[in-house]
């Protein structure tokens, strides 16, 4: 075999992971020296693997019979044989070895001849026990994770409770045993990854106190999750202050946390890792080593979980990381689930409310309809009873007066009178009850009300050839009034003006705000009126016109008085008449008096 | 003594009011409808009309307008089972408004007052 081949063989061996493997494997040359050793061997013996190369094997292994030609043959049975290896400290450790002949390599670097090597695979017996233990731990944790996730799915927890439960699970002794845990969620509005909630003590002293408390408290993890009262544990204040300060823009795509989330990588990070954001996170946490686990669902990334052992300074093991990753996956689903559930619940409540409201409205309508039918019926009955009652009672009174005081019939007549009075009271009450409610006052934009009213008369004014000018100056000012009644007043003024004007005449409709109310005026450029009529015009049945009841202005007067307003009629200085009224603004607290 | 016309479509009420007004010393006449009442007003010139509002045919409010159009020297007292007409602007034109009751005292008092006022105004 040429040297090149040797090197290639050797390179294959190394590329195959021989050197790097965590399993303890040794290659022994024909001279019984160590030709190669794996990292695992170094670890087992407490030294660097490269330092083992070239050392005589009997310094490291016993019994040495194993390395004689005869020994080798008896050892290479495929079955493990018990051996001892010497640890760097001088202690001998009992292990098992499986021996295989390995003749693919030359004896020395200069030789081309292949020589028989011995490959020893060592099995740490104690390590195997440890692995069994680990397997048991893994099983227990898996079962626990399963329990937790079932609990998170099944129970109707609020989002906050879910987050808290996840963090408790990461930190509790029964759970993942991290010292502290921090939940960061995506804030879609701010487009950041933002600290939401954290659990953990702020120093070692506090930690031991909390863990003692927990030890005395509920043993069951689920119970712990649901009963742990965060507000009572001031311990979490410090970590929550930390978490609230954490905020990373999602646009910062190179950032450790953002990357972990988007690339779905669970990482063990130490401060010297050269990735953007590591320094910052280590700074926030005040801890050189921490774990990052993404919270992602099929619908997309939710956030990340940070966990560390800032108090105990225990290194984060590969197993810790593995559990954190698994747990983070399940937590993400639980968080998503809780969010969706509560969103659904909220919508359901809205729907229920709307439904309830509709049903109530329907019932109110039905009740009102029934009441209204009853009311109408009783009004008819009451009215029909009224006239007969008046005549019965009236004549009974007449009789009573006509009869002699000694006559016993006089007393009977008195009884009839009295009973009729009672019935009349009942009938009156019934009629009062069913009397339709008067229209209530409302806040009205006065300019709009005036414009609307005038609008109804536009066509007729145009027909008559009368010009109309608006001088509305109240903007959005509102006054309290019965809109129908105020319209009646304005219409009355308009009709009066129209009647005195001929074609080419002009009507001016204006509004103006005053300190205490608004002034509405309808003026014309007609002949005006005799000065002594200014007040008499508002008296009943005053009319200068051959037709009409003479009640128009009287009604206007009554309406304006009922509104607490003032009316006036005067001749304009430029000629023509002007009718105006002032409506006061409502006093505070008075908006809909009638 | 003053002449009083009672307009009501209920015969028993007409009888009751006539009886009471006569006892009080008035000269009375009655009409069973607004139209008949308007005729009597023209022919007999009563000083005061006691006018029911709700009647078949022409109602009291319309009758009131006719009365006032023709001769506003006649006093009118509206006498009705409904208190709600008090809110009708038209009824303000009457001299008084009385709600019907088996106790006619209020009606008698009102009529006396209205007549006294009219007399004083002359």
């Amino acid at each position: 075999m040429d040297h090149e081949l040797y090197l290639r063989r050797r390179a294959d061996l190394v590329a195959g992971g021989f050197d790097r493997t965590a399993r303890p494997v040794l290659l022994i040359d024909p001279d019984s020296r160590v030709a190669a050793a794996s990292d695992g061997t170094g670890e087992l013996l407490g030294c660097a693997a490269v330092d083992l190369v070239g050392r005589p094997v009997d310094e490291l292994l016993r019994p040495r019979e194993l390395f004689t030609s005869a020994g080798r043959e008896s050892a290479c049975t495929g079955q493990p044989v018990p051996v001892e290896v010497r640890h760097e400290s001088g202690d001998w450790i009992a292990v098992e070895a499986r021996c295989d002949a390995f003749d693919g390599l030359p004896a020395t670097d200069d030789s081309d001849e292949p020589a028989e090597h011995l490959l020893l695979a060592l099995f740490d017996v104690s390590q195997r026990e440890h692995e069994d233990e680990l397997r048991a731990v893994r099983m227990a944790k898996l079962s626990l994770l399963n329990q937790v996730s079932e609990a998170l799915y099944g129970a109707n927890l609020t989002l906050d409770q879910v987050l808290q439960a996840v963090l408790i699970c990461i930190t509790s002794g029964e759970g993942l045993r991290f010292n502290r845990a921090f939940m960061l969620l995506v804030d879609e509005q701010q487009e950041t990854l933002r600290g939401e909630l954290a659990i953990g003590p702020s120093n070692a002293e506090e930690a031991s106190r909390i863990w003692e408390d927990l030890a005395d408290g509920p043993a069951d993890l689920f119970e712990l999750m649901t009963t742990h009262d965060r507000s009572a544990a001031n311990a979490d204040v410090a970590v929550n202050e930390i978490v609230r300060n954490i905020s990373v823009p999602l646009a910062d795509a190179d950032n450790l946390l953002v990357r972990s989330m988007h690339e779905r990588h669970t990482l063990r990070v130490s401060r010297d890792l050269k990735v953007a954001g590591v320094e910052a996170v280590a700074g926030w946490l005040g801890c050189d080593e921490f774990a990052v686990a993404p919270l992602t669902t099929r619908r997309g990334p939710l956030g990340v979980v940070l966990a560390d052992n800032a108090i105990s300074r225990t290194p984060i093991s590969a197993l810790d990381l593995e559990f954190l990753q698994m747990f983070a996956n399940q937590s993400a689903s639980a968080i998503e689930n809780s969010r969706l559930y509560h969103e659904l619940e909220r919508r359901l409540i809205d729907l229920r409310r709307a439904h309830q409201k509709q049903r109530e409205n329907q019932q109110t309508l039905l009740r009102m309809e029934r009441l209204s039918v009853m009311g109408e019926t009783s009004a008819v009955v009451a009215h029909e009873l009224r006239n007969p009652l008046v005549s019965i009672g009236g004549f009974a009174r007449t009789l009573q007066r006509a009869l002699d005081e000694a006559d016993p019939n006089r007393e009977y007549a008195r009884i009839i009178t009295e009973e009729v009075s009672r019935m009349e009271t009942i009938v009156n009450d019934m009629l009062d009850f069913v009397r339709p409610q008067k229209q209530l006052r409302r806040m009205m934009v006065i300019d709009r009300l005036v414009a609307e009213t005038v609008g109804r008369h536009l066509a007729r004014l145009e027909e008559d050839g009368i010009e109309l000018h608006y001088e509305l100056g109240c903007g959005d000012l509102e006054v309290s009034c019965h809109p129908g009644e105020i319209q009646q007043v304005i219409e009355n003024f308009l009709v009066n003006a129209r009647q005195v004007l001929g074609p080419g005449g002009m009507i001016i409709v204006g509004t103006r705000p005053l300190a205490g109310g608004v002034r509405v005026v309808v003026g014309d450029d007609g002949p005006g009126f005799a000065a002594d009529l200014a007040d008499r015009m508002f008296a009943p049945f005053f009319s200068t016109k051959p037709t009409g009841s003479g009640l128009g202005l009287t009604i206007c007067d009554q309406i304006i008085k009922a509104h607490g307003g003032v009316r006036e009629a005067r001749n304009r200085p430029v000629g023509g008449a002007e009718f105006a009224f002032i409506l006061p603004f409502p006093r505070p607290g008075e908006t809909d008096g009638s | 003594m003053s002449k009083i016309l009672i307009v009501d479509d209920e015969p028993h009420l007409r009888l009751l009011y006539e009886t009471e007004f006569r006892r009080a010393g008035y000269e009375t006449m009655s009409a069973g409808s607004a139209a008949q009442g308007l005729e009597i007003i023209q022919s007999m010139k009563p000083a005061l009309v006691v006018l029911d509002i709700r009647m078949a045919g022409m109602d009291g409010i319309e009758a009131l307008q006719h009365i006032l159009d023709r001769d506003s020297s006649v006093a009118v007292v509206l006498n009705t089972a409904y208190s709600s007409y008090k809110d009708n602007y038209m009824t303000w034109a009457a001299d008084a408004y009385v709600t019907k009751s088996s106790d006619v005292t209020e009606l008698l008092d009102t009529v006396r007052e209205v007549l006294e006022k009219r007399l004083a105004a002359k």
Side-chain angles (χ1 to χ4, degrees), chain A residues 383 386 398 401 424 541 558, chain B residues 20 68 81 92-93 100 102:
Chain A
H383 183 67
R386 186 119 190 210
T398 312
R401 262 199 307 267
E424 278 185 305
F541 311 111
Q558 295 290 337
Chain B
E20 289 297 330
L68 295 167
W92 300 341
K100 278 185 185 175
S102 67

Side-chain angles (χ1 to χ4, degrees), chain A residues 457-469 494-495 497-508 523-525:
Chain A
H457 290 261
L458 281 180
R460 254 176 287 171
L461 292 175
E462 211 171 303
E463 248 172 55
D464 292 355
I466 294 170
E467 208 181 317
L468 183 72
H469 284 272
L494 279 175
V495 169
R498 209 182 102 222
Q499 282 170 347
V500 299
L501 291 176
M506 183 177 71
I507 292 180
I508 307 109
D524 62 59
D525 63 351

Side-chain angles (χ1 to χ4, degrees), chain A residues 415-434:
Chain A
I415 292 170
I416 296 173
T417 312
E418 220 176 84
E419 294 297 342
V420 167
S421 291
R422 252 174 68 186
M423 291 168 79
E424 278 185 305
T425 309
I426 295 167
V427 164
N428 281 345
D429 287 351
M430 277 167 78
L431 284 174
D432 280 346
F433 176 72
V434 298

Side-chain angles (χ1 to χ4, degrees), chain A residues 109-130:
Chain A
D109 289 359
D110 327 321
S111 163
D112 289 345
E113 287 301 305
E116 192 159 290
H117 286 66
L118 185 67
L119 189 64
L120 287 180
L122 304 177
F123 298 91
D124 185 349
V125 184
S126 64
Q127 180 72 29
R128 200 167 60 195
E129 280 165 5
H130 182 60

Side-chain angles (χ1 to χ4, degrees), chain A residues 53-125:
Chain A
V53 177
R55 283 173 71 175
V57 92
D58 50 5
E59 275 181 19
L60 301 169
L61 279 160
R62 66 186 185 193
R64 64 181 61 190
E65 294 76 43
L66 202 61
F67 313 107
T68 64
S69 310
R72 280 188 186 195
E73 256 169 54
S74 63
C76 293
T77 57
Q79 293 300 316
V81 289
V83 296
E84 281 182 309
V85 290
R86 188 164 174 273
H87 190 263
E88 196 63 12
S89 62
D91 295 336
W92 287 90
I93 307 167
V95 297
E96 282 176 351
R98 219 176 60 204
C99 311
D100 284 298
F102 188 86
D103 53 4
L105 284 176
T108 60
D109 289 359
D110 327 321
S111 163
D112 289 345
E113 287 301 305
E116 192 159 290
H117 286 66
L118 185 67
L119 189 64
L120 287 180
L122 304 177
F123 298 91
D124 185 349
V125 184

Side-chain angles (χ1 to χ4, degrees), chain A residues 298-312:
Chain A
R298 267 169 301 174
R299 292 158 61 96
L302 291 181
V304 296
V305 166
L306 291 174
D308 67 20
N309 289 327
I311 314 294
S312 65

Side-chain angles (χ1 to χ4, degrees), chain B residues 12-118:
Chain B
H12 291 157
L13 289 184
R14 288 201 300 275
L15 181 59
L16 174 68
Y17 295 139
E18 281 203 81
T19 310
E20 289 297 330
F21 279 110
R22 266 193 219 123
R23 184 202 294 280
Y26 296 100
E27 190 181 320
T28 65
M29 333 169 240
S30 68
S33 72
Q36 197 191 347
L38 291 176
E39 278 172 27
I40 295 176
I41 290 168
Q42 270 197 318
S43 55
M44 309 293 286
K45 300 279 178 202
L48 185 143
V49 182
V50 174
L51 187 58
D52 187 16
I53 293 182
R54 259 221 190 163
M55 289 182 287
M58 189 194 299
D59 71 11
I61 302 230
E62 203 184 333
L64 171 66
Q65 265 175 318
H66 285 293
I67 295 168
L68 295 167
D69 279 351
R70 289 176 193 174
D71 179 7
S72 60
S73 67
V74 186
V76 179
V77 172
L78 289 170
N79 184 42
T80 175
Y82 287 94
S83 54
S84 55
Y85 283 109
K86 272 183 183 163
D87 299 329
N88 185 315
Y89 297 115
M90 284 306 301
T91 65
W92 300 341
D95 291 79
Y97 184 104
V98 179
T99 308
K100 278 185 185 175
S101 161
S102 67
D103 187 349
V104 292
T105 321
E106 191 193 346
L107 180 61
L108 287 169
D109 289 349
T110 306
V111 165
R112 196 186 62 242
E113 281 165 24
V114 168
L115 287 173
E116 278 168 7
K117 238 186 248 171
R118 284 276 178 145

